[in-house]
């Protein structure tokens, strides 16, 4: 089955596919596009978020991370959707846990990790108190506002999946001492290795968006010819 994948950064996201392609058991042809494809670092720097902007963090081809405002890339994301439709994608997944407006449209299903997480996470917490890890301090407030709609209490800490592993190790130890019975690594950039780190150091249950996304989508692909 042909599936489209859109990253808000630059494609291909080999860091993501390394954790998810085995879940599809060789039954998926993944075609990737990115919201920042073809842009230089200088061009991307003009997308810096201002007060009131919805903040996104993603990865460039060279492995570095960038922070930018969602509004700048929405037309580019719509163009990516059209390109993937034209190449025969049966559905399109987003490699991002952020929230996107309904103005993005497609002729095929658009599958957003945030929509899956919004529905599944409340079912996985007994106390309705979760701990979320988000890449940037600029995203803490919007992360708390978002999750406050679905659980009774949310504690958010910033720690980037694109930074030094030592920073994530420190964050995992911090999570251990926080109240909350479920950890949500709220960025598609977090890896299986990072999930294992947080689970090991905190002793808490951990949700990893990229593998959750793949397992849900695999329900549609496991009989694909």
């Amino acid at each position: 089955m042909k599936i489209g994948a859109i990253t808000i950064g630059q494609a291909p996201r080999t860091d993501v596919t390394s954790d998810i392609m085995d879940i599809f058991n060789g039954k998926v042809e993944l075609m990737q596009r990115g919201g920042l494809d073809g842009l230089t670092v200088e061009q991307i720097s003009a997308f810096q978020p201002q007060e009131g902007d919805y903040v996104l963090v993603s990865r460039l081809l060279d492995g570095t991370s960038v922070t930018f405002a969602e509004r700048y890339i929405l037309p580019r994301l719509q163009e990516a959707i059209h390109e993937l439709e034209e190449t025969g994608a049966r559905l399109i997944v987003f490699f991002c846990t952020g929230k996107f407006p309904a103005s993005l449209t497609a002729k095929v299903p658009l599958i957003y990790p945030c929509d899956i997480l919004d529905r599944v996470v409340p079912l996985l917490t007994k106390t309705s108190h979760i701990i979320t890890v988000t890449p940037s301090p600029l995203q803490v407030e919007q992360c708390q506002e978002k999750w406050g709609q679905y659980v009774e209490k949310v504690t958010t800490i910033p720690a980037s999946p694109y930074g030094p592993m030592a920073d994530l190790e420190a964050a995992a130890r911090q999570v251990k001492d926080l109240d909350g019975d479920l950890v949500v690594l709220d960025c598609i950039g977090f890896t299986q290795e990072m999930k294992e780190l947080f689970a090991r150091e905190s002793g808490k249950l951990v949700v990893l968006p990229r593998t959750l996304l793949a397992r849900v989508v695999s329900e549609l692909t496991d009989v694909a010819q």
Side-chain angles (χ1 to χ4, degrees), residues 38-100:
L39 298 181
T40 65
V41 173
E42 290 74 23
Q43 289 172 314
I44 296 169
S45 66
F47 297 170
Q48 286 296 310
Q50 306 299 320
E51 185 175 354
D53 276 330
Y54 188 82
V55 180
L56 297 173
V57 176
S58 193
R59 183 179 185 270
L60 301 183
L61 285 176
D62 63 5
T64 59
S65 67
V66 288
T67 302
F68 51 97
E70 179 187 70
R71 58 189 170 94
Y72 291 111
I73 65 164
L74 290 177
R76 298 177 63 86
L77 295 180
Q78 186 63 67
E79 181 180 350
I81 290 171
H82 291 326
E83 290 179 4
L84 290 169
E85 288 177 326
E86 290 173 358
T87 59
R90 294 282 302 277
L91 56 89
I92 297 171
V93 299
F94 269 67
F95 283 170
C96 178
T97 62
K99 197 75 173 177
F100 295 91

Side-chain angles (χ1 to χ4, degrees), residues 174-211:
Q174 180 182 353
V175 165
K176 179 181 180 179
D177 296 327
L178 296 175
D179 290 332
D181 66 343
L182 185 70
V183 181
V184 181
L185 302 180
D186 200 356
C187 176
I188 209 73
F190 288 107
T191 67
Q192 180 67 31
E193 179 184 5
M194 295 170 189
K195 175 183 179 177
E196 292 168 1
L197 166 67
F198 274 85
R200 182 174 63 252
E201 292 292 334
S202 72
K204 301 178 187 293
L205 299 173
V206 182
V207 175
L208 183 66
R210 59 171 59 174
T211 48

Side-chain angles (χ1 to χ4, degrees), residues 23-24 192 195 210-219:
I23 295 173
F24 295 124
Q192 180 67 31
K195 175 183 179 177
R210 59 171 59 174
T211 48
L212 177 60
L213 170 67
R215 290 187 173 104
V216 170
V217 172
S218 70
E219 179 66 18

